[in-house]
Amino acid sequence: RVPAGYLQLSGDFFTAHREEIMRLVHNKEEEQKAQHPMKRLMDVEDQDDGAVVVTFTDVHLPRGAGEAIERAYEGELDIHYTEEAGIVRVYWQR
């Protein structure tokens, strides 16, 4: 229950297109899981402000999902790695 990566999705565009954006996140997870069974989505948590935080078992999966969302829908993508803890935090909004 200790995530290696976080993906936070927010903004009015996300709220309006949540279902299709989350489908893209799940598709990226399925692609990776087929090759690397330990790379998984752990949880999807709704925040009070309308944002969603998705946690993953791997540091590469949130970055890959965030980049796929940015390619498909543009928006702002911000990626932060913490080397000491081996965690990545990815933020996308539009």
Side-chain angles (χ1 to χ4, degrees), residues 13-93:
F13 183 86
F14 170 70
T15 303
H17 297 88
R18 176 186 170 136
E19 199 172 305
E20 62 192 79
I21 292 171
M22 290 305 297
R23 191 170 25 250
L24 179 59
V25 170
H26 287 287
N27 288 344
K28 287 302 283 184
E29 178 211 13
E30 290 299 320
E31 282 177 19
Q32 287 297 309
K33 196 166 55 172
Q35 297 174 9
H36 309 281
M38 298 305 288
K39 291 185 179 185
R40 296 177 179 260
L41 185 151
M42 294 175 67
D43 192 24
V44 177
E45 182 181 328
D46 292 307
Q47 304 291 300
D48 291 337
D49 62 358
V52 169
V53 176
V54 185
T55 54
F56 297 92
T57 60
D58 178 70
V59 296
H60 303 291
L61 201 48
R63 189 181 114 218
E67 288 173 346
I69 293 167
E70 183 186 39
R71 278 192 304 275
Y73 301 103
E74 298 179 349
E76 297 175 31
L77 183 67
D78 196 14
I79 302 171
H80 298 273
Y81 285 96
T82 55
E83 291 183 31
E84 305 83 38
I87 295 174
V88 65
R89 294 183 185 274
V90 178
Y91 304 90
W92 178 85
Q93 68 176 7

